[in-house]
Amino acid sequence: MTKVAISGTGVFTPEETITNAELVAAYNEYAHRQNALHAEAITAGEPEPMPMSSEEFILKASGIERRRVMTRTGILDPGVMHPLLPERADEDLSIMAEISVKAADQALEMAGRTADDVDAVICAASNHERPYPAIAIEVQQALGIKGFAFDMNVACSSATFGIQAAADMIRSGSARAILMVNPEITSGHHEWRDRDCHFIFGDVCTAVLMERADAARDGAWEIVSTRLLTEFSNNIRNNNGFLRRTREGHMTDRRDMQFYQEGRKVFKQVVPMVVELIRGHLADEGVEPSSLSRLWLHQANRNMNDLIGEKVLGRRPEPGEQPNVLQDYANTSSAGSIIAFARYSRDLPAGSLGVICSFGAGYSTGSVIVRRM
Ligand code: CO8
């Protein structure tokens, strides 16, 4: 059977950063203003006053120290509390396509490939800035790639699901090489006015170039096997969608039109799901957990990753065995495990085995076993 390899990766990191201190100051000022505005009603017992956020809580509960964003403008303004990005003309490259091209250029260069070598583009992300035409087709055109392109969305698991889709297509012969991009502008669909989650997300774009292993450069990573799993849950949800204007009252500023979750339930339910998936996948492929050099996990929460690493390996992971990037990037949805892989895989020798793993809304989880060539 045709073997498939990851021969290039790219990470576009936005220039602007927001620290926990800056985030908490903006949120707390917003909460103070809301409480002052509704002081009379609050005194009468309805609604509850908005609680304050704290840097200490954020670091302890999540491990996040700062996040990158496409723009700070608006997010830190207590009178706005969401990013403000200029509108682009239809003729101009859209913002998701722009950051995809930047990450893709790096992946192509690393793989030693040009547009002529690639037959397809997949844009796998947790939100797309428009329903159509596909962002992937715009990226395809911008890079001068022939063949076909499409968008897909499996929330935080979009990248591992994209890797399986691409690997299957290359294996079956429908494409020689496929470029996957994960432009995650989470700041646009995040709720910055909710203390329970305002610290969670950040923006980034990753890219992965996959091709036939027999044509790939030395030092590429063979995709040994992929496994995906989904199980419906309402614990991470966003009700915004194309039917919004058909529903009475949905055009107002409703909380459920942005990301919302039951974070503690997600933590408790997703950890066992992910551990079972990875352990079962490794067992079926005859790979002992002790033979893994590295786990590149989804970057949502440091405590969650510590627990998953410990349960998969059967011991506490050594420093470096399970690298985190969430302290600097926060949760970048589907891109998180790819940033970790791109940053922390080049030092490993040929023959090294590792697992790229995602988990998130759906629920959805994906496990990709890779071996350095
Ligand atoms: N400051 C101070 N106190 C706070 C804050 C805050 N900012 N936030 C909450 N608290 C309080 C709570 O109110 C609570 O108080 P009390 O005990 O009095 O009720 C107390 O702190 C503890 O709160 P939690 O139980 O919520 O705290 P946890 O320890 O559970 O930590 C986390 C919260 C960090 C959210 C944690 O539960 C977690 O990480 N869970 C997993 C979440 C997760 O991985 N979700 C996946 C989401 S990503 C995804 O699927 C992609 C979706 C698509 C992308 C969307 C982009 C926008």
Side-chain angles (χ1 to χ4, degrees):
M1 191 161 62
T2 305
K3 290 184 176 173
V4 181
I6 295 174
S7 54
T9 52
V11 180
F12 163 76
T13 301
E15 279 170 19
E16 301 195 22
T17 300
I18 297 178
T19 64
N20 287 348
E22 292 171 315
L23 190 75
V24 167
Y27 169 85
N28 285 352
E29 176 57 26
Y30 168 77
H32 279 305
R33 288 189 194 179
Q34 288 298 307
N35 291 342
L37 194 65
H38 302 292
E40 227 171 276
I42 290 169
T43 309
E46 187 76 28
E48 290 278 311
M50 289 192 73
M52 297 302 134
S53 184
S54 92
E55 281 180 70
E56 296 71 34
F57 172 85
I58 295 171
L59 191 60
K60 187 164 167 280
S62 70
I64 296 165
E65 295 172 27
R66 60 190 71 80
R67 68 282 301 139
R68 299 297 187 127
V69 287
M70 294 303 295
T71 180
R72 286 159 55 99
T73 308
I75 297 174
L76 298 177
D77 179 345
V80 181
M81 298 297 281
H82 57 78
L84 293 170
L85 292 165
E87 192 177 347
R88 297 184 178 196
D90 287 0
E91 297 69 37
D92 295 339
L93 196 63
S94 67
I95 189 164
M96 282 185 73
E98 181 184 301
I99 62 176
S100 297
V101 167
K102 288 180 178 167
D105 282 340
Q106 296 172 26
L108 287 165
E109 191 187 337
M110 184 176 171
R113 294 292 178 200
T114 67
D116 287 341
D117 302 313
V118 181
D119 291 331
V121 179
I122 299 174
C123 177
S126 56
N127 265 77
H128 295 92
E129 69 182 282
R130 58 171 185 264
Y132 45 82
I135 307 295
I137 303 177
E138 197 181 358
V139 173
Q140 177 194 7
Q141 185 200 41
L143 290 169
I145 291 171
K146 297 183 189 71
F148 62 95
F150 60 89
D151 291 350
M152 58 179 276
N153 175 2
V154 199
C156 286
S157 289
S158 298
T160 53
F161 278 58
I163 289 174
Q164 174 164 305
D168 286 350
M169 285 191 279
I170 295 167
R171 230 174 257 125
S172 70
S174 45
R176 293 166 300 157
I178 298 182
L179 173 72
M180 175 185 70
V181 290
N182 319 107
E184 291 289 5
I185 307 184
T186 65
S187 58
H189 49 106
H190 185 29
E191 183 49 89
W192 299 91
R193 298 169 298 181
D194 182 340
R195 171 182 88 142
D196 289 356
C197 68
H198 75 122
F199 55 90
I200 291 181
F201 290 104
D203 299 338
V204 81
C205 181
T206 49
V208 177
L209 199 273
M210 287 155 281
E211 59 180 302
R212 293 175 60 108
D214 57 12
R217 64 170 177 86
D218 284 347
W221 287 83
E222 181 198 340
I223 299 172
V224 177
S225 173
T226 58
R227 182 163 296 180
L228 311 177
L229 183 69
T230 50
E231 208 176 280
F232 187 73
S233 168
N234 275 322
N235 288 333
I236 313 169
R237 198 170 162 116
N238 180 332
N239 280 332
N240 202 351
F242 79 101
L243 291 178
R244 187 169 182 180
R245 71 171 186 173
T246 69
R247 293 175 175 146
E248 210 175 325
H250 276 227
M251 294 308 278
T252 56
D253 181 16
R254 283 169 52 128
R255 174 65 190 91
D256 65 336
M257 295 298 156
Q258 283 76 243
F259 165 92
Y260 63 104
Q261 70 167 355
E262 293 278 353
R264 192 145 277 204
K265 284 189 189 159
V266 173
F267 196 115
K268 281 196 179 141
Q269 293 168 1
V270 167
V271 169
M273 184 177 170
V274 172
V275 170
E276 208 175 306
L277 177 84
I278 299 178
R279 287 197 69 98
H281 189 198
L282 292 172
D284 290 349
E285 293 298 332
V287 176
E288 287 296 329
S290 58
S291 64
L292 295 176
S293 298
R294 208 151 283 173
L295 293 172
W296 299 281
L297 298 181
H298 174 51
Q299 301 288 312
N301 180 301
R302 187 184 55 205
N303 304 324
M304 220 170 175
N305 283 3
D306 287 348
L307 204 55
I308 292 169
E310 199 168 326
K311 286 180 186 292
V312 167
L313 299 178
R315 59 173 171 78
R316 194 176 285 244
E318 298 293 331
E321 266 186 317
Q322 184 192 285
N324 283 331
V325 300
L326 58 86
Q327 62 279 8
D328 295 321
Y329 283 90
N331 181 344
T332 49
S333 199
S334 68
S337 57
I338 305 299
I339 307 174
F341 175 69
R343 291 271 151 85
Y344 298 101
S345 57
R346 296 182 196 199
D347 58 314
L348 294 172
S352 300
L353 280 164
V355 173
I356 302 171
C357 172
S358 69
F359 43 88
Y363 297 136
S364 58
T365 175
S367 165
V368 180
I369 303 173
V370 289
R371 182 192 291 115
R372 187 130 209 214
M373 296 175 12

